[in-house]
Amino acid sequence: MRWNRVFEREKLMLSVAIVEDDRKYSKLLEGYLERYSAENDVKFKVDVFDDGLKFIMGYDGDGGYNIVFMDVEMPRLDGIKTSRKLRATDKNVSLIFVTNMAKYAVSGYEVDALDFMVKPVDYFNFSLKLEKAVRIQNKLLRDVILVGVGGGFTKLKTSDIQYVESSLHFVIYHTETEQIKSRASMKDTEKKLEGMNFARCNNAYLVNLACVKKVTGDEVIMDDGQTLSISRSKK
C-alpha cells in the first residue's frame, strides 16, 4: 500500500524533453513550462538536448519522457529522423514539433505527432498544445497500476488486463500475452481497480468489462474465448 501511495504522487510529475539546438528557444520553452506549472499546479521534470542524436542515444521508452518538444531543423540528426527513431521505441510519448516553417507539419503524420508550433512561439499557443498533451499523458498514467512481483514491483496497464483470478493467497493477472502472479487478496485487488471498468463475476474472478464479448445465462465469454462462470450473488 505504501508503494501505491508513492506511485500516486509520482504520477503528478510529467517528464518533458526539449530537443532544440537554439538555446534562445529552449530557454523560452523552459520558461513557458515554469509558467504553466505555476498556473495549473502541474509538475514537470525538464531535460534539454541541443541535438537529436544526443536525445535519442540510450533513450528508454519505458520510463522515458511523457512529452517531447522537437525542433525540426537541427544538425547531425534532424527532428523528423529523430522522431522516427523515437517512435520505434516509444509509442505513447506526446510529440510536439517546433519549426520555422509550417510545411514540416505534414511530416508529423508519419510519426504520429500530437501537434506542431511555428516559431516564434507565443505562450497562449504553447499552453493550448501543452494542455492537450498533459491531458493525454494523465489519462495514460491513470491506466497503470503497480503489481507486486517477488521482492519488487512491475507496472501493468489496466487496459491490458483481461481478467484477474484468485488462487489461494495470490491473484493472477491474465493479459493477452502473459500471466502475472502477485501475492495479494482479491478484495485488495478489486479496490485497486475500482473505477476502472472491472467487475466480479464470482468470488474467484474479476473481469475487465471491455474484454467481455457476451454474457449468456450464467457465463461470461471473454474476447479470447475464455468462459467464466457467474455466481448467483453476482448475477
Side-chain angles (χ1 to χ4, degrees), residues 4 9 38 66 74 83 88 108 119 125 137-138 163 181 184-185 209 234:
N4 287 331
R9 290 200 297 271
N66 303 109
M74 293 184 292
S83 298
K119 298 176 181 179
N125 186 37
Q137 290 302 315
N138 280 337
Y163 62 94
K181 191 173 184 179
S185 69
L209 297 179
K234 299 295 182 183

Side-chain angles (χ1 to χ4, degrees), residues 98-159:
V98 184
T99 175
N100 283 311
M101 291 180 281
K103 68 177 184 179
Y104 287 117
V106 177
S107 302
Y109 289 107
E110 66 178 276
V111 291
D112 193 26
L114 175 65
D115 218 321
F116 74 98
M117 297 183 292
V118 177
K119 298 176 181 179
V121 179
D122 64 81
Y123 177 73
F124 178 74
N125 186 37
F126 173 88
S127 64
L128 290 178
K129 314 294 187 185
L130 180 57
E131 182 178 3
K132 183 162 55 172
V134 168
R135 187 166 59 247
I136 290 171
Q137 290 302 315
N138 280 337
K139 185 177 185 299
L140 287 173
L141 288 170
R142 284 196 299 270
D143 189 35
V144 175
I145 60 171
L146 279 182
V147 175
V149 178
F153 292 85
T154 185
K155 289 193 295 185
L156 184 60
K157 292 181 66 176
T158 58
S159 57

